[in-house]
Amino acid sequence: MKAYEKYYEELNKVVEKVRSTQADNIMKAAELLADVTERGGIIYGFGTGHSHLVVDDAFWRAATPANYCALLEPSATGNQEITKSYYVENTYGNGKLIVDYHRITPNDCMIIISNSGNNIAPVDAAIRAKEKGIPVIGITAVEYSNYLKCKHESGLKLKDVADIVLDNCSLIGDAAVEIDNFDMKVGSTSSIPNIYLQNCILTQMVEILVERGFEPDVYYNGHMAFMKPECADHNDKLVDKYFYKIRNL
């Protein structure tokens, strides 16, 4: 079997484990997001390092809610000077600063993504959110997190702080495939289930809101907007609605 075929099999196992074990927490998280949306709140996504890819994926894009805001702190995402971002995401105070600077309130909520659940900034952000009464959904690898020695001085990891924990079931070491005559495993196992889980709760949120008789704000694909004036008008109205609510829109 080729390495890419092994990778496919391993990723399928991870995603299937997520699907089969996380249903209850997916529904709890989706209900929370629906409550936040119905009361006019903002869903804030936060992740450092490669976890920022998850929140970036859901921000101002096709088929996603318009009240989602990605907190993309440049120094912690690794888009530039990537090795520096490791130190930024492990510096005390940065997570607290993110929550306070963006003036997140208990009317809103946070989705915090950290595969290890062990870096300082995501844990700090979760702690600060809890101090301010802001609901927190954590997406993390529970088994991997349990395996790791705790970094944070509080002795806490993301899974210990979040109100609702979604386990991405990623493998220890975030690597999937063994290759003959090569000492290391290759092929990450966290990004795909992280994005899957976030889309699960956002999609389920929309269904819950529709069942409640509430019409959620969801973007059309940009190409649909290009082809159909009514889609473009729909998207433009959503941008106008949220432009002064989401500071980096």
Side-chain angles (χ1 to χ4, degrees):
M1 184 182 293
K2 297 293 186 183
Y4 80 89
E5 295 172 314
K6 294 177 185 177
Y7 183 66
Y8 176 83
E9 287 197 348
E10 292 302 318
L11 260 293
N12 272 346
K13 290 177 186 176
V14 171
V15 174
E16 175 56 31
K17 187 175 181 181
V18 170
R19 190 194 68 82
S20 63
T21 64
Q22 299 305 300
D24 288 346
N25 284 337
I26 286 171
M27 291 304 299
K28 289 177 184 177
E31 291 280 357
L32 170 59
L33 297 183
D35 292 342
V36 168
T37 300
E38 196 167 11
R39 64 179 179 244
I42 301 297
I43 301 165
Y44 289 93
F46 178 57
T48 60
H50 287 94
S51 293
H52 91 274
L53 298 170
V54 184
V55 300
D56 208 0
D57 182 73
F59 187 41
W60 192 64
R61 69 160 295 164
T64 57
N67 65 319
Y68 184 100
C69 173
L71 301 177
L72 298 169
E73 169 52 45
S75 63
T77 61
N79 280 341
Q80 299 177 10
E81 301 175 339
I82 191 167
T83 55
K84 184 180 72 176
S85 69
Y86 172 80
Y87 298 98
V88 173
E89 69 179 347
N90 282 292
T91 299
Y92 287 100
N94 287 336
K96 176 182 181 296
L97 173 63
I98 292 294
V99 175
D100 291 347
Y101 176 76
H102 289 275
R103 301 184 184 183
I104 305 172
T105 75
N107 194 56
D108 310 309
C109 73
M110 293 190 72
I111 301 172
I112 300 178
I113 299 97
S114 173
N115 186 52
S116 68
N118 201 32
N119 286 325
I120 304 302
V123 175
D124 262 358
I127 291 172
R128 183 56 171 166
K130 293 295 292 293
E131 289 173 349
K132 301 183 82 168
I134 301 161
V136 175
I137 298 167
I139 301 179
T140 188
V142 172
E143 183 181 6
Y144 189 23
S145 187
N146 288 335
Y147 172 81
L148 295 170
K149 179 181 178 181
C150 187
K151 287 182 179 180
H152 200 280
E153 61 188 7
S154 68
L156 298 172
K157 299 173 183 176
L158 178 60
K159 66 182 180 62
D160 304 316
V161 185
D163 298 290
I164 300 169
V165 175
L166 297 173
D167 186 359
N168 69 22
C169 301
S170 180
L171 304 181
I172 290 175
D174 196 7
V177 177
E178 292 183 351
I179 294 178
D180 292 341
N181 301 314
F182 190 71
D183 290 340
M184 299 173 65
K185 285 186 176 182
V186 296
S188 67
T189 60
S190 60
S191 296
I192 289 172
N194 279 343
I195 292 172
Y196 170 71
L197 273 167
Q198 182 169 252
N199 279 323
C200 279
I201 61 177
L202 293 174
T203 301
Q204 187 60 49
M205 176 199 84
V206 171
E207 182 177 62
I208 291 168
L209 288 169
V210 172
E211 289 172 348
R212 292 180 184 179
F214 182 94
E215 184 173 352
D217 295 326
V218 176
Y219 286 114
Y220 282 111
N221 180 273
H223 294 285
M224 296 296 294
F226 174 74
M227 295 289 290
K228 297 183 178 182
E230 62 271 24
C231 295
D233 182 63
H234 172 89
N235 283 0
D236 289 344
K237 287 179 178 177
L238 291 186
V239 170
D240 288 343
K241 178 177 179 178
Y242 289 98
F243 193 80
Y244 293 107
K245 296 180 179 181
I246 297 177
R247 63 183 303 139
N248 58 337
L249 186 62

